[in-house]
Amino acid sequence: MTVQAEISLSPLRDAARSASVVWIGLLVLGIGLGVTVTTQGLPWWLAPIISGVLFAGSVEFILVGMLAAGMPIAAIAATTFLVNSRHLFYGLTFPLHRVDGRFAKLYSIFALCDEAFALASTRMRSGQILWTQIGLHSSWVLGSFIGAAVGQVALGDVRGMDFVLTALFVVLALDTYRADPDRVTLMLACAAGALGLLLAPGSMLLVSMGVFTAVSIVRHYRARRS
């Protein structure tokens, strides 16, 4: 292998080392999505299309149920906006400036998800961020295809697959804290989550992230002044 080829493969290898476990987690979760699509009576090919075009994680499970129930388009659009509104906050701190190239930046914006944000926050380089997102996207689409193709027969009675997403977020939070053990930020995040759950249980995520963002901005300006 030439030196140039070695250099070009380096970001992919780095991404695989840091994100391969998360790729596997999304693959398993995608299988759960594929199973959900077929058990709801929807055509199997809808699973890879939804996961490939939307790539919105949790909202896809909600979308499948709303499509199966025949919900109006306006209700589906409003629900999708509210659930995915957390990405507005992700965009404030996602290291897009580390991604080189116009098309690479556009894809990185499209492929921004919870897992990509958590992993990219660990100071990944340009190519590593992009390959990490490509791996996440590909794992999600492949998993949904497998789940839709064979999941209904082989995995239709398996319970708890939807908990994979929660478990994955817990692991990502632990890894992020180990990389930067900031107890103040952890306590503020927990307090924001509790406040959101107390004030608006139906929109807990949106309220909690809004509160946490506001507190983070105040901390940032106070740190600059001091």
Side-chain angles (χ1 to χ4, degrees):
M1 180 179 294
T2 64
V3 176
Q4 184 65 31
E6 183 72 22
I7 294 175
S8 63
L9 287 176
S10 179
L12 174 58
R13 290 176 178 175
D14 291 341
R17 290 192 187 100
S18 59
S20 57
V21 174
V22 184
W23 291 349
I24 296 173
L26 276 194
L27 178 70
V28 176
L29 187 61
I31 293 175
L33 174 65
V35 173
T36 302
V37 169
T38 53
T39 54
Q40 290 289 339
L42 299 172
W44 69 270
W45 47 262
L46 192 61
I49 290 179
I50 290 177
S51 58
V53 175
L54 294 182
F55 190 43
S58 56
V59 76
E60 294 181 35
F61 285 93
I62 300 174
L63 178 62
V64 169
M66 297 182 76
L67 289 175
M71 297 289 291
I73 297 297
I76 294 176
T79 302
T80 302
F81 173 78
L82 290 175
V83 175
N84 278 350
S85 59
R86 66 188 185 277
H87 291 171
L88 298 174
F89 301 101
Y90 289 167
L92 296 175
T93 55
F94 184 75
L96 188 63
H97 60 279
R98 298 186 207 156
V99 180
D100 299 328
R102 179 180 301 177
F103 292 105
K105 289 182 183 292
L106 290 175
Y107 177 78
S108 185
I109 293 172
F110 163 76
L112 175 58
C113 60
D114 305 304
E115 297 80 8
F117 178 82
L119 291 169
S121 299
T122 58
R123 300 191 179 279
M124 288 183 171
R125 300 191 306 274
S126 172
Q128 190 177 359
I129 293 176
L130 191 61
W131 277 113
T132 296
Q133 291 184 280
I134 292 174
L136 292 171
H137 193 190
S138 301
S139 298
W140 183 246
V141 175
L142 178 61
S144 65
F145 175 79
I146 294 174
V150 301
Q152 185 177 12
V153 177
L155 301 172
D157 296 331
V158 177
R159 296 182 178 181
M161 292 191 67
D162 53 345
F163 188 73
V164 174
L165 182 63
T166 303
L168 186 60
F169 287 158
V170 171
V171 173
L172 288 172
L174 290 174
D175 287 343
T176 302
Y177 181 76
R178 288 174 180 174
D180 185 13
D182 186 348
R183 294 184 179 180
V184 175
T185 300
L186 177 63
M187 293 176 62
L188 289 174
C190 293
L195 185 63
L197 184 62
L198 180 65
L199 296 179
S203 303
M204 174 261 187
L205 187 60
L206 181 60
V207 174
S208 299
M209 294 196 71
V211 171
F212 183 72
T213 300
V215 173
S216 298
I217 292 174
V218 172
R219 287 184 65 198
H220 172 73
Y221 281 107
R222 290 188 62 183
R224 288 187 62 181
R225 289 181 179 179
S226 62

